[in-house]
Amino acid sequence: MAKDTLYNKVWDLHKVTTLPNGQDQLFIGLHLVHEVTTPQAFAAIRESGSTVPFPKRTFSTEDHIIPTDNQAHPYSDPQAELMSATLAKNVKEYNIPFFGTDSGKQGIVHVIGPELGLTRPGMTIACGDSHTSTHGAFGSLAFGIGTSQVGLVLQTQTLALTPFKVRRINFNGTLTGGLTAKDVILKIIQTLGVNGGIGYAYEFGGEVFDNMSMEGRLTVCNMSIEGGARIGYVNPDQTTFDYIEGREYAPKGAEWDSSLAYWKSIASGDDAEYDDVVNFHTDDLSPMVTWGITPAQSVGVNDTLPASDSQITQEAYTYMKFKPRTPIKDIPINVAFIGSCTNSRIEDMREAAKILDGKQVSASVKTLVVPGSQQVKKQAEAEGLDKIFKAAGAEWREAGCSMCLAMNPDKLIGDQVCASTSNRNFMGRQGSTTGRTLLMSPGMAAAAAIAGKVIDVRELLV
Amino acid sequence: MIISSVSGTAVSVPGNDLDTDRVVPARFLKEITFDNMGNYLFYDVRFDDKQNPKEHPLNDLDRKDASVMVVNKNFGCGSSREHAPQAIMRYGFKAIIGESFAEIFAGNCHQIGIPVVTVSAEDCLVIQALVNEDASLQLNIDLEKMTVQVGTFFFEIEMPKSRRDSFLKGTWSVLELLKSNKEKINNTHKTLPYSF
């Protein structure tokens, strides 16, 4: 049993009671809502005549189904239009704040939470979305839930949960040119497996995380769930506090001081005990690329694909149409997608722009750059990044989840290969039942877009 | 509702790391109710582009009335979409046996009253082989004894104690239980060092 970790302290503070079945009833301090996983929950509340007792602890936006080319209503897809209208109606009826496209604050729920200052250290955060783990970057316990549980949070602000074990993941060394947070998390998943984190909260620490920006920490925590860990977090530090200060919902004045004291108090202590500890070092790290159908099926960009020695690798080779023991480098791509809750923040946009500046994407590659929020878009445009993308031949879109899961019109066609900064390379994930996804960092995706094939981004940095 | 056992025939859906995008592809999540989800179960691996059935265990007409699905390791990984267990339930399944399950998926199943039980990797393969041999083979998952009977064979099953208790006591739907602690919830709300 872990002791004196951030997990223990935050959990205990939010524990309402122990339930007769042995589970804990946990108070959810911040609930985030989007259009896809909530209509059934609101419908059930309405049917039962129930209420939402803490509407100020829920915030909503639309991200999954929103088009990124033309966001004027009605959307071209009538199902998406109905879904959007249903969310707007539901949150209005229950007095839940809504960040729609006319607010200037709409975006992917895991991008806008942090940028609005809603996500802060020491919170419990739930959302009907597995990538809620993202918010753990601030030192919160944040996790995805299903629609029935969304209904429980709306009606009681609590959930029945079984306590987690805590695995400390130390990553030491330095991320030198071309290496990013995306490579760090892909390496961790490659090593511990897609189910290695089941039952665990992952605590990320070590030199790499001490020196990592909030954007980088968000990328790592985002993909905790791809390693099976429902929760991933980084202890809050000065980097965290500096990021939060001055944001719209951040505490101000005396409240800032008391918040800061609280945030400092919940970090894992020096004598924290963990259920498991795993160590990594950047000496073993190179830019990572997935080649298969799970996020653990990755290799360093200069490595060759593994032998086909298990059911899941065989299945992956059949689907991906690649050959065992061949290099990942030089695999041709048809599409590059830079976006998603993993890599659509301002730093990701800058990383991609740095590579694309003054270059042209290959004529054979459709390149989509999709900012994670309206605020990211605005900031990127203020920095002139949009001009770099457009001059390079990439499309600069409106904010949304886009081609990460293709619930909007942005989809792969046929068996196209996509260099994607998203989080899942599952079969059919990007909207075509035969589409193929190679997960990588924004810099690597931009480099692939230019070359028309997988290359080592470091070749463009010298 | 007390759920102490699940009986019926079974179908085995093999494969490790079978994700919820495969259980229900994302494009079907654009519906605002779960009503039709049963029709979309494993859609892209069951049907081709022209909606013709492909070779898939669920397309075996002898198994269309199966109540139990037998799966392998890390079933239900990926997205938190409850559409996945809803599709499984609405198709007609009442329980799932597997080597292991992704956490959010297992929690979603529990929430809607679908017992998800684990068996050893070895037993899992044996059960799948027995099921594959005989579409009419009867299974009985017994949550009191924590066994599954497959034809004439018995295997030990596992499930977290809190979940098992809630099925045996009929308290797996926790809404009323959570609501009943209203005062304690309000107290926690008031003591939290943050608000919005």
Side-chain angles (χ1 to χ4, degrees):
Chain A
M1 279 261 289
K3 267 164 67 178
D4 199 32
T5 67
L6 178 143
Y7 160 82
N8 298 104
K9 298 180 202 181
V10 177
W11 186 279
D12 291 348
L13 191 79
H14 291 80
K15 183 173 159 179
V16 172
T17 188
T18 303
L19 297 168
N21 69 7
Q23 286 188 302
D24 285 346
Q25 183 170 0
L26 202 73
F27 192 90
I28 303 303
L30 174 62
H31 182 212
L32 301 169
V33 157
H34 65 74
E35 73 281 12
V36 175
T37 56
T38 55
Q40 303 87 348
F42 282 108
I45 293 171
R46 195 173 290 118
E47 272 169 36
S48 67
S50 192
T51 57
V52 177
F54 301 101
K56 287 182 179 166
R57 288 194 181 273
T58 296
F59 294 84
S60 61
T61 190
E62 69 177 309
D63 51 12
H64 284 62
I65 49 95
I66 196 165
T68 59
D69 48 0
N70 178 5
Q71 298 188 328
H73 288 284
Y75 298 159
S76 56
D77 177 351
Q79 276 189 306
E81 179 62 22
L82 176 61
M83 189 148 249
S84 174
T86 303
L87 176 70
K89 173 175 170 280
N90 286 335
V91 294
K92 191 173 177 206
E93 183 175 341
Y94 293 99
N95 297 313
I96 292 164
F98 175 55
F99 303 113
T101 47
D102 55 0
S103 70
K105 299 168 193 169
Q106 172 270 339
I108 304 175
V109 68
H110 309 310
V111 174
I112 71 166
E115 84 183 359
L116 291 170
L118 293 168
T119 306
R120 295 170 336 226
M123 295 180 164
T124 48
I125 303 174
C127 173
D129 193 293
S130 61
H131 292 113
T132 308
S133 58
T134 310
H135 306 262
F138 287 78
S140 276
L141 303 183
F143 48 87
I145 55 178
T147 300
S148 293
Q149 289 178 313
V150 169
L152 297 178
V153 177
L154 286 171
Q155 293 175 77
T156 72
Q157 206 62 35
T158 65
L159 290 168
L161 292 166
T162 305
F164 292 75
K165 291 183 283 186
V166 184
R167 173 176 290 146
R168 167 80 180 190
I169 297 178
N170 292 308
F171 217 119
N172 286 315
T174 316
L175 291 181
T176 47
L179 291 177
T180 68
K182 186 64 164 282
D183 306 308
V184 167
I185 187 61
L186 285 174
K187 183 73 187 178
I188 292 170
I189 297 167
Q190 181 203 50
T191 306
L192 300 177
V194 286
N195 59 351
I198 292 179
Y200 282 97
Y202 278 176
E203 177 178 301
F204 300 105
E207 293 161 2
V208 164
F209 287 94
D210 291 344
N211 296 315
M212 195 181 270
S213 66
M214 286 314 297
E215 281 87 351
R217 294 177 188 181
L218 286 157
T219 297
V220 172
C221 292
N222 171 272
M223 288 188 71
S224 304
I225 186 64
E226 310 311 333
R230 201 172 175 186
I231 290 176
Y233 70 85
V234 178
N235 283 300
D237 60 9
Q238 197 58 43
T239 305
T240 321
F241 311 144
D242 290 346
Y243 181 97
I244 298 169
E245 192 166 13
R247 291 186 185 267
E248 184 175 348
Y249 286 85
K252 314 229 161 38
E255 208 193 329
W256 171 263
D257 296 334
S258 61
S259 298
L260 202 58
Y262 168 59
W263 299 342
K264 288 178 177 171
S265 76
I266 46 98
S268 293
D270 291 338
D271 49 359
E273 291 174 23
Y274 300 91
D275 298 285
D276 191 29
V277 179
V278 184
N279 295 305
F280 291 86
H281 199 280
T282 51
D283 284 352
D284 311 316
L285 190 65
S286 53
M288 302 290 287
V289 182
T290 67
W291 62 270
I293 55 170
T294 85
Q297 291 175 320
S298 63
V299 291
V301 65
N302 295 306
D303 295 337
T304 51
L305 304 188
S308 181
D309 55 2
S310 70
Q311 163 261 327
I312 190 75
T313 50
Q314 283 164 15
E315 205 177 352
Y317 278 118
T318 304
Y319 183 81
M320 298 298 287
K321 301 170 193 162
F322 299 154
K323 289 197 171 59
R325 301 189 191 284
T326 56
I328 185 87
K329 221 157 134 182
D330 295 341
I331 286 180
I333 65 154
N334 312 102
V335 176
F337 169 60
I338 296 164
S340 87
C341 58
T342 311
N343 281 124
S344 65
R345 297 177 183 84
I346 189 65
E347 195 175 89
D348 304 312
M349 299 291 118
R350 289 177 189 144
E351 188 189 326
K354 192 167 112 188
I355 302 301
L356 289 168
D357 194 5
K359 305 249 178 28
Q360 281 295 309
V361 303
S362 164
S364 61
V365 177
K366 178 186 173 75
T367 305
L368 280 187
V369 186
V370 186
S373 70
Q374 292 181 320
Q375 293 206 56
V376 169
K377 181 163 194 268
K378 200 173 155 192
Q379 175 68 28
E381 289 175 354
E383 296 178 19
L385 305 186
D386 58 319
K387 293 192 181 69
I388 294 175
F389 295 134
K390 287 184 219 163
E395 295 176 41
W396 176 241
R397 297 292 190 92
E398 304 290 335
C401 298
S402 183
M403 205 187 268
C404 174
L405 83 170
M407 284 190 72
N408 77 343
D410 307 333
K411 298 176 200 303
L412 294 183
I413 300 163
D415 67 354
Q416 281 180 328
V417 176
C418 180
S420 181
T421 67
S422 54
N423 40 60
R424 288 186 176 138
N425 50 348
F426 298 156
M427 291 160 60
R429 171 77 178 182
Q430 293 192 287
S432 162
T433 55
T434 50
R436 296 175 282 174
T437 304
L438 310 182
L439 302 175
M440 59 188 81
S441 70
M444 282 287 289
I450 294 166
K453 59 187 184 179
V454 175
I455 62 165
D456 187 338
V457 64
R458 292 174 297 189
E459 291 167 20
L460 300 182
L461 289 172
V462 286
Chain B
M1 183 177 69
I2 289 173
I3 301 173
S4 55
S5 68
V6 175
S7 299
T9 57
V11 58
S12 122
V13 179
N16 294 335
D17 305 320
L18 216 156
D19 58 79
T20 51
D21 272 83
R22 238 185 294 173
V23 180
V24 182
R27 65 181 180 280
F28 298 119
L29 274 53
K30 287 190 284 186
E31 296 187 11
I32 59 168
T33 73
F34 288 133
D35 297 351
N36 302 322
M37 288 302 137
N39 301 333
Y40 308 140
L41 184 59
F42 293 116
Y43 196 89
D44 288 342
V45 278
R46 283 177 62 204
F47 301 100
D48 67 16
D49 292 348
K50 297 179 181 73
Q51 283 84 50
N52 297 313
K54 296 198 272 195
E55 197 178 314
H56 188 276
L58 260 60
N59 289 341
D60 179 351
L61 291 179
D62 291 342
R63 297 180 188 270
K64 65 177 170 46
D65 298 322
S67 308
V68 178
M69 195 187 294
V70 191
V71 301
N72 298 94
K73 190 160 87 179
N74 197 30
F75 184 86
C77 60
S79 158
S80 65
R81 61 189 67 167
E82 188 175 309
H83 305 70
Q86 290 279 353
I88 290 168
M89 179 175 78
R90 286 162 198 271
Y91 186 90
F93 291 104
K94 296 184 172 62
I96 315 175
I97 301 172
E99 185 187 333
S100 66
F101 294 88
E103 210 166 301
I104 301 178
F105 176 83
N108 284 339
C109 288
H110 178 236
Q111 217 57 241
I112 62 173
I114 305 273
V116 157
V117 302
T118 54
V119 292
S120 71
E122 248 179 359
D123 286 354
C124 196
L125 294 176
V126 175
I127 294 170
Q128 285 181 322
L130 291 168
V131 165
N132 289 343
E133 258 172 43
D134 180 2
S136 66
L137 190 70
Q138 288 289 316
L139 277 71
N140 180 43
I141 298 170
D142 187 334
L143 295 182
E144 306 254 16
K145 294 182 188 147
M146 290 306 278
T147 57
V148 56
Q149 181 177 4
V150 183
T152 55
F153 298 94
F154 285 85
F155 302 87
E156 278 181 19
I157 58 173
E158 286 185 32
M159 174 185 268
K161 186 180 175 301
S162 59
R163 287 204 180 131
R164 174 179 176 242
D165 287 355
S166 67
F167 282 122
L168 293 177
K169 288 178 188 154
T171 57
W172 48 269
S173 177
V174 290
L175 177 61
E176 293 313 315
L177 177 63
L178 296 184
K179 272 187 173 176
S180 70
N181 294 321
K182 194 175 170 185
E183 203 173 316
K184 286 179 182 164
I185 294 171
N186 284 331
N187 288 341
T188 306
H189 164 69
K190 281 180 203 145
T191 57
L192 284 189
Y194 62 93
S195 58
F196 299 94

